[in-house]
Amino acid sequence: MNGNPAAAPLLRLEQVVAGYAAPVVGPVSCSIQAGDVLGLWGTNGSGKSTLLNAIADAARIFSGRIERAPGLTLFYQEQRPVRLPAMPLTGRDLLRCAAVPTHRPPPGSLSQHLNRRIDRLSGGQYQLLCVWAALAGSADLVLLDEPTNNLDPEHERLLAALLAQPRTHRDDRRAVLLVSHERAFLESVCSRVLELAPDA
Amino acid sequence: MNWEIYADPLFRLPFLAGFLIAGVLPVLGALLMLREEWLAALGLAHLAAAGTLLGLAVGAPAILGASLGALGGGAVKSLGGARGNTAYGFMILIGWSALLLAAANTSAGDALGQAVMDGQLYFAGWTELAAAVLLTGLAVTALPRLMPRLLRARFFPRHDTANRLPGWRWHLGFDLLAAFGVAVGTATLGVLGTFALILVPAWAAFRIAPGWAWTLGLAGLIGVVAYLAAFVLALGLDQPFGPALAAVCLALGGLIGALRRLAQGRGGA
């Protein structure tokens, strides 16, 4: 990322209408600054995931525009992490795939999974490890789609702790756009929450 | 068993060519299995076999025909954006029908077709050895660069699109490397031996390896051990090499699977 991070937004959406064969969501306008943890709330079918896909160039934009800061890097953690019948990779291997620095161990019980095969982790443990891969990597903007899926209350607390991790110097420019249908969770971890109406 | 035959200089080049291929193909197999494209070996091998036979019919070396057949298939599949085993299923049908038609319509086609299926390791010469050395060099050079990108694309599939990265380049690069590996394998070890080397060591390593580096190392080791055992058995007992290699791979895979189940049973008890 170049330029003054305090002045220019990392991402700006102007009257974006997005979808696939037909529009699903929009018009939506918002901007994300460095350091933001922006929550996007909406009921099922309101187009939250479609909006993330549009930001990640994986959905069609029918009108409006999405402006990225020059050189912006993204990490997009989808709603369902890829789970294969056999995955002979350790947690450490997975973090290496996501270019997470080796000197940055995950917090709490997540560090216990570094030397275990990821196909032997529970759905919640694997989900959290993927979220940590997103947050601890070098991306400027992290997109998290329903990261509370598969999580029991204990793991949900750990997720909140990951999002509130003290930031390194490098992370000062990082922002998070977090989609969830759990309003209370969003309000507890986000600096701002946007509501997406079903017919927005 | 005639032990003197192993000291015959006639078999040194074939042994060395096969040894290199047996170390590389299982590593490619592990990546193909992670991409759920293990059927690639059979699809590309059939195209390579058809290419070999068509090449021989017009006087081209077997390795050239095999490479053109497999690389053509790999490039079309990659550039067409086809992923998964369906694309390779179509390759098997296309390659198989081309192989049988070429065998039926060329002089000595039947015998050559059978040789390509069985494997003709003992007839491998400098051309096959040079191709095996080239394959090993390409794998050693390209895989360290391709592997992190391929793994990232597998586990974080939106990453390249979201960051507007040319992900097609590394997918094409790997598809071509796999196609070349299968072509060299098919022209040297035959369709059956090549498929066995790609599928079985990776399958076994996926079950017992504690991590990714171990998976690659174990797959390569199983492939080499199976190759050495098959070389000794096929030569000593005068058996066709490809089926012997497939049989040893299956026996090793079965043994590893049984030991793993035994270990799991003890762990659970």
Side-chain angles (χ1 to χ4, degrees), chain B residues 2-260:
Chain B
N2 176 12
W3 296 101
E4 287 172 8
I5 201 167
Y6 300 112
D8 193 330
L10 191 67
F11 296 115
R12 283 181 194 159
L13 287 186
F15 173 79
L16 202 53
F19 185 81
L20 291 174
I21 294 166
V24 174
L25 289 188
V27 175
L28 297 178
L31 274 165
L32 287 167
M33 191 158 279
L34 192 71
R35 286 154 58 109
E36 294 184 292
E37 293 187 332
W38 52 268
L39 204 53
L42 201 54
L44 292 169
H46 275 81
L47 288 179
T52 302
L53 214 53
L54 290 169
L56 288 172
V58 296
I63 202 84
L64 180 64
S67 299
L68 288 177
L71 286 172
V76 166
K77 176 241 171 205
S78 191
L79 294 174
R83 292 253 157 267
N85 283 329
T86 307
Y88 293 115
F90 279 100
M91 280 186 199
I92 291 170
L93 280 177
I94 294 165
W96 205 350
S97 89
L99 177 70
L100 294 178
L101 284 172
N105 291 285
T106 54
S107 59
D110 266 342
L112 284 171
Q114 189 62 43
V116 169
M117 292 302 284
D118 283 353
Q120 41 191 352
L121 176 66
Y122 309 125
F123 299 105
W126 284 107
T127 310
E128 284 75 15
L129 180 58
V133 169
L134 179 61
L135 171 67
T136 308
L138 285 173
V140 168
T141 311
L143 282 180
R145 297 176 192 195
L146 288 174
M147 191 97 65
R149 295 178 167 98
L150 293 172
L151 290 175
R152 188 182 62 201
R154 189 71 187 106
F155 288 99
F156 306 105
R158 297 279 194 207
H159 186 274
D160 289 342
T161 309
N163 286 286
R164 297 169 183 168
L165 295 173
W168 65 271
R169 284 189 197 168
W170 25 95
H171 291 300
L172 176 63
F174 177 71
D175 283 345
L176 292 180
L177 181 63
F180 184 59
V182 170
V184 174
T186 303
T188 311
L189 307 173
V191 170
L192 192 56
T194 299
F195 184 47
L197 272 180
I198 287 203
L199 177 68
V200 182
W203 176 86
F206 265 51
R207 264 133 201 89
I208 57 171
W212 184 241
W214 276 95
T215 304
L216 300 177
L218 275 174
L221 183 65
I222 294 168
V224 166
V225 168
Y227 171 78
L228 292 175
F231 194 88
V232 170
L233 288 174
L235 205 55
L237 302 174
D238 192 23
Q239 295 296 307
F241 183 76
L245 177 57
V248 174
C249 281
L250 288 169
L252 273 178
L255 180 67
I256 289 169
L259 287 174
R260 179 178 172 255

Side-chain angles (χ1 to χ4, degrees), chain A residues 115-159:
Chain A
N115 294 322
R116 289 179 66 195
R117 272 177 62 141
I118 52 178
D119 54 2
R120 290 170 192 163
L121 301 179
S122 72
Q125 291 167 337
Y126 183 52
Q127 170 97 358
L128 267 188
L129 197 64
C130 289
V131 171
W132 175 249
L135 292 173
S138 59
D140 302 307
L141 176 59
V142 176
L143 309 176
L144 299 176
D145 193 358
E146 298 284 3
T148 53
N149 281 358
N150 297 318
L151 300 187
D152 57 26
E154 185 190 333
H155 282 96
E156 204 168 294
R157 277 194 293 278
L158 187 51
L159 172 62

